[in-house]
Amino acid sequence: MYDGTVYVGSESGNIQALSLETGELEWDENTGSPNPVSGSPAVTEGHVFAGTDNETVVGFDRSTGEFLWELRLKRGDHVRSSVVVADGRLFVATANPAGGLGRLHVLE
C-alpha cells in the first residue's frame, strides 16, 4: 500500500492498483506473462515492482500503471515470494521447482 492505494498481483499475471478508500480500480496492467504474480508487489514513490512465476521481475509507473521495464532472471528462477525494496535496492528471492537451489537477486 502507498498513499491511499493498494497494489496487488493476480493469478492471471496482472498488477492492480485499487483505491483504499473506495475500492475502485485505478489501473490494471499485465506483467507481460500469463503466469501468476504470487507475492506482493513492492511500491516506492514512483514505481511498483513485482516478480512473476515466469522468471521475470517487472517495473511499472506507480501513478499510471505504465509498463516500464522487465528483467529476465536465470532459467528456473521463479519468483514466488514478495519482492522487497530497501536502501535503494530491490531484493528478489527465487525458487527452482525443478529441484535446483533458489537464489537471492539484489538489483540496484
Side-chain angles (χ1 to χ4, degrees), residues 42-45 49 83-92 105-108:
V43 184
T44 66
E45 184 176 340
F49 303 101
V83 296
V84 175
V85 174
D87 295 328
R89 296 183 181 120
L90 183 64
F91 295 84
V92 182
H105 301 267
V106 181
L107 312 171
E108 291 191 47

Side-chain angles (χ1 to χ4, degrees), residues 14-57:
N14 285 20
I15 301 290
Q16 298 174 325
L18 302 138
S19 167
L20 180 62
E21 186 175 315
T22 67
E24 289 184 30
L25 185 66
E26 295 178 6
W27 55 262
D28 182 4
E29 295 295 329
N30 190 268
T31 60
S33 168
N35 297 49
V37 176
S38 299
S40 299
V43 184
T44 66
E45 184 176 340
H47 300 92
V48 177
F49 303 101
T52 76
D53 202 25
N54 191 37
E55 305 162 348
T56 60
V57 178

Side-chain angles (χ1 to χ4, degrees), residues 59-107:
F60 294 89
D61 180 276
R62 184 185 63 80
S63 298
T64 65
E66 177 186 1
F67 180 85
L68 299 175
W69 58 266
E70 172 186 270
L71 174 66
R72 174 119 357 236
L73 302 173
K74 291 185 178 192
R75 185 174 173 90
D77 281 355
H78 299 267
V79 183
R80 295 190 172 157
S81 63
S82 300
V83 296
V84 175
V85 174
D87 295 328
R89 296 183 181 120
L90 183 64
F91 295 84
V92 182
T94 61
N96 188 318
L101 295 175
R103 302 181 215 285
L104 176 63
H105 301 267
V106 181
L107 312 171

